[in-house]
């Protein structure tokens, strides 16, 4: 009897103490806001990207942050939460003035950019160009894919498409017109990567024996400078009746999404064969449904990781590789279906 | 030493302490304990609520300090512009003052790399501010050196940076405001919950305290209950209750000890009393037996006085002789005399039926009539149903003898003796009446009080006088028998009346005996 009463008493006491301790802890955590749980790091790197292709850059950033945390460095998405949308070069300057420990930024060949990068490096802040290179600058490293190789990949896909087209024409017995390949290029991109891609495509086609009679490779500049302008420019292509390309090559995730959405909206799926870029869920879905013929994806995880590794290497040794290659992956319809299921 | 051991030692120590505490100390300790618990919980709750209130008050402090920072930056920029415009020493002083103020505010900002976005923004603001202050100082310096082109350029750069810092501060302010607002809401909700939780916790503590009080007071009052039950038993007369266990040495414990001793003492006292009474009873019994033996002895002594063995044997020889000589009257006479004496011998130590006593009187009167030539007229009026009543032997004959000797022996007229036995008002009356000399009242009193006894022995009677009869009757009937003498004076005759308990009364007594 006494034992039972003691147990009840003890349980009540324990419950009470538990409640009190729980609420004490809870209220101690409350209202702390910025002083809440956080960790300190030795180095402060920043990553500056444009607002376009946010999905792609988000994945690169996640990988960079994860790698940084392992190495005692925190990677900040600089300027992201600011009330004003600054140009990349302004953000670069600000990062320099804020005395960060390292900068990851997609480069270009603009003089202004090269000058700013020069200033930054001179201030002792290492810079890694990611995806796009500023070859004229004294940045420490470029982390990205080999654009020429990428062009070759696209070229091979175009050849596949041309072969299928020829087979179809053969069975139809129709006249053979030169196939029209339209590559969407970013008007604002001043780096050489797009040119190298185009070169890769053209040389691959030529090497395969295609000439101007059988295939024409054209570019269509898309203006990214204003908000939503790229989407409008791509829709314009579909609206120009009679001038529809046979094959549309997209070199960015945004262009890819705009293009396949426009193809669906204007009922041009199958009429315009499209080659995409990047492997977001939506793009994979489109590939698996054969709206896109294929897509080429960069290994974003590797890209983010290599950026931080390059910065750390430079911080520790004063040297780093000038170029670090990121793997690309060609995703066809079958693979896309598998990937969609996996995710 | 293991923890269990130390725990049990503490427990033992507390139990010992508790055992030797007085009732007042126990109740005070209990009250203090519960009061301290309630107080502690209240203080705890108060501290929690107080801290929350302070937090609510401080929620927007970070916004305020950012606003201060922003204001200080404005003043630096303003004073720099003022100096560049006017180059006045006031503006210069103003600039340095505002720069100092700004630096002080800046020093509060975070400088470390962290994964907290707001803290990281603080670090950026600090870095940018350092650059800005550097540019501003350079611009001031260039202004001093009148390097127009340079300070113009520096001013532009500084202004651009000033705007950018503002953007950073503004963005951080927004983020903090969002965060603070969320915290504010959470705090407000928590405060509301806190009221409820406080009540629940207090209720729980109250319940705990009540159970603590109930358990403890039960422990304190349990011995009291036991004591009350035991006292109840004792008051009902049951002293065989055993010792009440004493759990503590408080007042109840002391009372219980005393009670135990008291019950033990009472038990001993009762035992002693019982033994004493038994002893007294035994003494009384012995005394009674001695008295009885004494009476027996007295009776035997009295009977011995009238025990003429020799005469009886002689008379028997006479009877046999008369029978041989065929002298019938002599033989009958001697037979009566012999019966008379034989009765004496036979009834020496016994009582007798009334029938036997009357027969003896008949024998005696026959003898007298032979002696005195039949001058005695003897008559009987007997209730036959009373013939079996037991009476002490030898009580009627002496009275008849007295009636003859003192009543009718010396009178001139013919003597008459009448014996009657009858029942009256549940009493048996034996009356011996004579028409002889009668008695004066004074003489009657003397006889009844025993003074007349001395003369009897010399009067020539056989020794069993009135006094003897009276004593034996009293002894035999336990003072229930009465002997009365009625006489109206000289020559008026005398009646001796023996009253003994009636038949039913006698039966009752025999049954009791």
């Amino acid at each position: 009897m006494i034992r039972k009463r003691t147990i009840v008493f003890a349980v009540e006491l324990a419950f009470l103490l538990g409640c009190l301790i729980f609420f004490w802890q809870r209220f101690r955590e409350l209202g702390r806001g910025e002083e809440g749980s956080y960790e300190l790091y030795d180095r402060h790197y920043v990553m500056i990207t444009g607002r376009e292709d946010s999905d792609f850059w988000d994945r690169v950033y996640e990988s960079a942050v994860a790698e940084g945390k392992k190495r005692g460095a925190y990677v900040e998405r600089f300027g992201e939460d600011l009330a004003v949308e600054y140009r990349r070069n302004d953000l670069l300057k600000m990062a320099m003035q804020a005395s960060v420990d390292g900068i990851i930024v997609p480069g270009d060949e603009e003089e202004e950019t090269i000058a700013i990068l020069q200033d930054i490096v001179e201030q002792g802040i290492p810079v890694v160009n990611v995806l796009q290179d500023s070859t004229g600058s004294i940045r420490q490293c470029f982390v990205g894919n080999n654009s020429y190789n990428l062009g070759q990949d696209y070229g091979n896909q175009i050849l596949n498409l041309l072969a299928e087209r020829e087979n179809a024409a053969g069975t139809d017995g129709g006249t053979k017109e030169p196939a029209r390949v339209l590559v969407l290029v970013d008007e604002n991109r001043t780096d050489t990567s797009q040119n190298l891609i185009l070169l890769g495509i053209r040389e691959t086609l030529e090497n395969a024996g295609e000439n101007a009679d059988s295939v024409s490779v054209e570019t269509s500049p898309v203006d990214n400078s204003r908000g939503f302008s790229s989407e409008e420019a791509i829709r314009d292509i579909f609206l120009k009746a009679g001038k529809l390309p046979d094959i549309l090559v997209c070199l960015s995730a945004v262009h890819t999404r705009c293009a396949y959405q426009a193809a669906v909206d204007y009922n041009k799926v199958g009429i315009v064969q499209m080659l995409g870029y990047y492997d977001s869920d939506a793009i994979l879905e489109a590939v698996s449904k054969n709206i896109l013929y294929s897509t080429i994806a960069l290994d974003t995880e590797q890209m983010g990781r290599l950026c931080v590794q390059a910065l750390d290497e430079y911080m520790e040794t004063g040297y780093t590789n000038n170029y670090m290659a990121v793997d690309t992956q060609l995703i066809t319809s079958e693979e896309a279906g598998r990937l969609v299921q996996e995710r | 030493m293991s923890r269990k051991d130390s725990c049990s030692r503490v427990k033992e120590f507390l139990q010992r302490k508790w055992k030797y505490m007085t009732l007042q100390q126990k109740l005070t300790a209990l009250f203090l304990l519960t009061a301290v618990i309630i107080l502690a919980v209240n203080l705890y709750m108060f501290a929690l609520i107080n801290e929350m209130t302070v937090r609510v008050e401080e929620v927007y402090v970070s916004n305020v300090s950012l606003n201060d920072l922003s204001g200080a930056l404005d003043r630096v920029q303003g004073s720099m512009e003022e100096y560049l415009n006017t180059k006045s020493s006031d503006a210069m002083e103003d600039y340095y003052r505002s720069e100092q103020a700004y630096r002080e505010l800046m020093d509060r900002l975070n400088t470390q790399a962290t994964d907290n976005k707001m803290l990281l923004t603080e670090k950026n603001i600090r870095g940018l501010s350092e650059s800005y202050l550097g540019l501003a100082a350079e611009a001031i310096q260039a202004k001093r050196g009148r390097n127009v082109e340079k300070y113009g350029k520096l001013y532009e750069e500084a202004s651009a940076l000033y705007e950018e810092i503002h953007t950073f501060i503004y963005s951080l302010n927004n983020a903090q405001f969002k965060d603070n607002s969320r915290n504010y809401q959470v705090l407000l909700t928590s405060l509301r919950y806190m009221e409820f939780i406080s009540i629940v916790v207090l209720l729980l503590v109250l319940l705990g305290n009540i159970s603590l009080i109930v358990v403890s007071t039960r422990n304190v009052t349990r011995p009291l209950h036991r004591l009350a039950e035991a006292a109840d038993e004792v008051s009902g007369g049951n002293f065989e209750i055993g010792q009440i266990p004493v759990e503590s040495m408080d007042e109840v414990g002391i009372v219980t000890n005393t009670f135990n001793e008291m019950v033990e003492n009472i038990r001993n006292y009762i035992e002693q009393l019982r033994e004493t009474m038994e002893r007294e009873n035994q003494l009384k019994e012995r005394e009674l037996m001695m008295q009885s033996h004494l009476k027996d002895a007295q009776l035997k002594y009295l009977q011995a006085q009238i025990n003429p063995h020799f005469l009886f044997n002689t008379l028997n020889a006479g009877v046999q002789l008369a029978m041989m000589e065929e002298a019938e009257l002599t033989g009958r006479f001697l037979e009566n005399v012999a019966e008379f004496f034989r009765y004496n011998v036979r009834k020496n130590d016994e009582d007798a039926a009334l029938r036997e006593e009357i027969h003896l009187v008949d024998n005696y009167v026959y003898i007298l009539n032979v002696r005195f030539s039949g001058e005695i007229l003897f008559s009987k009026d007997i209730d036959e149903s009373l013939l079996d009543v037991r009476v002490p032997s030898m009580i009627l004959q002496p009275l008849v003898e007295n009636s003859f000797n003192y009543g009718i022996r010396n009178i001139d007229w013919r003597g008459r003796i009448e014996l009657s036995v009858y029942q009256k008002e549940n009493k048996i009356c034996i009356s011996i009446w004579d028409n002889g000399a009668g008695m004066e009242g004074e003489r009657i009193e003397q006889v009844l009080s025993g003074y007349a006894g001395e003369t009897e022995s010399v009067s020539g009677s056989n020794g069993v006088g009135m006094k003897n009869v009276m004593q034996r009757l009293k002894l035999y009937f336990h003072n229930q028998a009465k002997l009365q003498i009625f006489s109206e004076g000289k020559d008026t005759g005398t009646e001796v009346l023996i009253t003994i308990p009636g038949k039913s009364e006698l039966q009752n007594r025999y049954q009791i005996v």
Side-chain angles (χ1 to χ4, degrees), chain A residues 216-233:
Chain A
S216 70
V217 178
E218 296 164 25
T219 61
S220 172
V222 178
D223 183 9
N224 276 347
S225 60
R226 292 176 290 115
F228 325 118
S229 54
S230 50
E231 197 266 339
E232 294 295 340

Side-chain angles (χ1 to χ4, degrees), chain A residues 5 12 16 20 23-24 27-28 30 33-34 38-41 44 74 76 78 81-83 86 94 97, chain B residues 44 48 55 113-116 122-124 127-128 131 161 164 167 171 176 179 186 194 204 208 218:
Chain A
R5 207 166 48 206
E12 192 190 313
L16 199 67
L20 293 180
F23 288 118
W24 181 254
F27 292 135
R28 279 176 77 84
L30 274 179
E34 64 195 51
Y38 58 85
E39 280 177 39
L40 293 176
Y41 297 89
H44 175 200
Y74 186 72
E76 185 193 3
F78 198 74
D81 295 325
L82 288 181
Y86 287 103
M94 280 187 243
Q97 284 162 333
Chain B
Y44 180 77
L48 270 185
R55 289 239 177 101
T114 160
D115 52 6
N116 183 295
E122 278 186 18
K123 177 178 180 288
N124 289 335
L128 289 170
S131 301
L161 198 49
E164 286 161 4
T167 308
S171 304
Q176 281 190 347
D179 196 47
V186 173
M194 198 65 197
L204 278 175
R218 194 178 292 160

